[in-house]
Amino acid sequence: MTHHPKIYVAGHRGMVGSAIMRHLLANGHPTERIVTRTHAELDLTNQAAVSAFFAAEKPDQVYLAAAKVGGIHANNTYPAEFIYQNLMMETNVIDAAFRNGVQKLLFLGSSCIYPKLAEQPMREDALLTGTLEPSNEPYAIAKIAGIKLCESYNRQYGQSHGVDYRSVMPTNLYGPGDNYHPENSHVIPALIRRFHEAKVNNASSVTIWGTGTPRREFLYVDDMAAASVHVMSLPQSTYSRYTQPMLSHINVGCGEDVTILEVAQAVARTVGYTGPIHTDTAKPDGTPRKLMDSTRLNALGWQAQVRLEVGLKTAYEDFLTHYAT
Ligand SMILES: NC(=O)c1ccc[n+]([C@@H]2O[C@H](COP(=O)([O-])OP(=O)(O)OC[C@H]3O[C@@H](n4cnc5c(N)ncnc54)[C@H](OP(=O)(O)O)[C@@H]3O)[C@@H](O)[C@H]2O)c1
């Protein structure tokens, strides 16, 4: 009989956490061997509550997909909340996991850990080689601290306690459960909303910010969940062969970037908007290219599966079901 570890998915109602849940359940992990708590039930910034939860539930594995997440505006307006809450959540969960015998934990970070001017595609060893993008520096510092927490617990307690905490850094994600807020969403959900509204209102055209030429990488969230479970499941000898004790995180991307105009055109096709798309070149473009180097992950046996057109179709269906007015 297969022994299923007891898995705690922190942030199971978020976009990534819910995709990890879908993946585990679809691959036969029994529901009763998954532990979850909503934010209302367990505030992960509360150390005493997190300790009590781990002591009571004693999970075998943890996916740390809970975080305070937001766009540029939120990061700029609430920098104290972004650094404090993320540091607290990581510190509380990672330390409580260790104190309660958890040997396997996966920490989710973000591509914003890399320097603003990192060479493209961004390799894992670009970490801490330059100045961060100021708008989300507090958030990025918290994420870097999360990686370093995992590495430090591995270095101090790996031999003695079998601690094996790993980190994955996803590129831009999209898919079911995304945030479609008009002012505070990422590129793909914002475009889905814009083109959907243009279609239903018979708008004469849609204008996108900037020249449309910056290149970005997008990964479907269920691919991210599959990659997370893949990395978590690798034998320790394999993981350590491809990582270093103080450079242990793994990029998760699809390996290809597209221009903003190409994404807009793909979203328009998905939504069924057939009018013209204009660019507003007076608006800023942002950095010309952002692409992860996912060679490490590919060498570890994982490749993205879901093509952009296919992922966009599911994302749009999710938008229509949950958000369209
Ligand atoms: N989305 C992306 O494009 C993207 C890209 C790269 C990396 N990531 C990373 O992936 C991870 C998950 O992101 P996501 O997009 O899934 O975010 P999300 O949809 O906002 O989900 C985050 C989850 O964490 C929970 N949470 C926040 N603060 C909490 C607290 N104090 N106590 C307990 N739960 C709390 C939230 O619950 P409430 O909503 O109830 O507060 C929510 O369920 C993050 O580490 C993020 O950096 C995401």
Side-chain angles (χ1 to χ4, degrees):
M1 208 177 79
T2 322
H3 171 73
H4 292 285
K6 186 173 181 180
I7 299 178
Y8 169 42
V9 181
H12 72 290
R13 295 216 290 204
M15 174 160 84
V16 179
S18 56
I20 291 174
M21 294 286 289
R22 278 198 295 282
H23 185 92
L24 291 171
L25 294 170
N27 285 278
H29 200 91
T31 318
E32 63 274 15
R33 299 295 288 165
I34 302 178
V35 191
T36 57
R37 289 292 184 279
T38 63
H39 188 167
E41 289 164 346
L42 176 64
D43 179 355
L44 295 172
T45 66
N46 179 332
Q47 186 187 21
V50 173
S51 293
F53 163 75
F54 272 87
E57 289 291 350
K58 295 277 181 200
D60 301 307
Q61 297 187 3
V62 175
Y63 286 87
L64 182 36
K68 180 165 175 68
V69 178
I72 294 180
H73 178 72
N75 270 275
N76 265 330
T77 316
Y78 310 108
E81 289 178 24
F82 275 84
I83 191 162
Y84 172 77
Q85 292 185 21
N86 284 304
L87 282 172
M88 290 300 282
M89 281 189 244
E90 295 154 22
T91 311
N92 290 343
V93 170
I94 292 169
D95 189 64
F98 165 65
R99 291 188 186 284
N100 287 280
V102 175
Q103 293 186 326
K104 295 189 77 88
L105 178 144
L106 191 76
F107 171 69
L108 276 91
S110 153
S111 60
C112 69
I113 59 162
Y114 292 117
K116 184 179 162 70
L117 301 176
E119 195 186 313
Q120 301 292 323
M122 297 178 288
R123 287 195 317 268
E124 285 87 352
D125 61 8
L127 184 66
L128 295 173
T129 58
T131 309
L132 298 165
E133 159 63 39
S135 61
N136 56 17
E137 186 198 68
Y139 179 78
I141 292 280
K143 290 294 184 190
I144 295 170
I147 299 172
K148 295 300 164 191
L149 274 162
C150 290
E151 291 176 352
S152 302
Y153 278 69
N154 291 342
R155 288 168 59 216
Q156 188 168 344
Y157 304 120
Q159 289 287 335
S160 58
H161 293 73
V163 165
D164 181 6
Y165 296 171
R166 304 175 182 181
S167 303
V168 280
M169 301 300 125
T171 187
N172 301 303
L173 303 173
Y174 71 98
D178 215 334
N179 166 18
Y180 293 94
H181 192 277
E183 279 114 47
N184 198 15
S185 52
H186 293 130
V187 176
I188 287 187
L191 288 172
I192 288 177
R193 174 181 277 275
R194 293 268 310 283
F195 281 105
H196 172 79
E197 287 175 351
K199 184 180 80 168
V200 297
N201 298 326
N202 286 318
S204 56
S205 66
V206 171
T207 302
I208 57 167
W209 271 37
T211 59
T213 57
R215 303 188 72 85
R216 295 289 182 272
E217 181 185 25
F218 299 97
L219 184 73
Y220 187 61
V221 71
D222 284 37
D223 264 345
M224 177 58 205
S228 300
V229 175
H230 181 84
V231 168
M232 182 74 125
S233 309
L234 290 167
Q236 216 257 328
S237 55
T238 310
Y239 186 77
S240 53
R241 201 161 60 244
Y242 287 91
T243 58
Q244 291 147 35
M246 294 178 74
L247 190 66
S248 70
H249 59 288
I250 296 182
N251 289 344
V252 184
C254 66
E256 284 174 20
D257 53 1
V258 286
T259 69
I260 294 295
L261 185 58
E262 285 165 345
V263 188
Q265 289 163 338
V267 171
R269 281 193 299 275
T270 305
V271 167
Y273 167 82
T274 51
I277 303 172
H278 300 306
T279 52
D280 180 356
T281 52
K283 295 287 195 310
D285 258 348
T287 182
R289 191 179 191 205
K290 248 191 124 183
L291 175 65
M292 295 283 227
D293 182 325
S294 298
T295 311
R296 222 180 211 190
L297 181 65
N298 300 153
L300 286 164
W302 190 88
Q303 296 271 357
Q305 300 293 321
V306 182
R307 295 185 49 77
L308 185 64
E309 297 74 25
V310 177
L312 284 178
K313 194 165 171 294
T314 316
Y316 185 49
E317 281 160 12
D318 178 63
F319 171 80
L320 288 176
T321 310
H322 294 104
Y323 306 95
T325 45

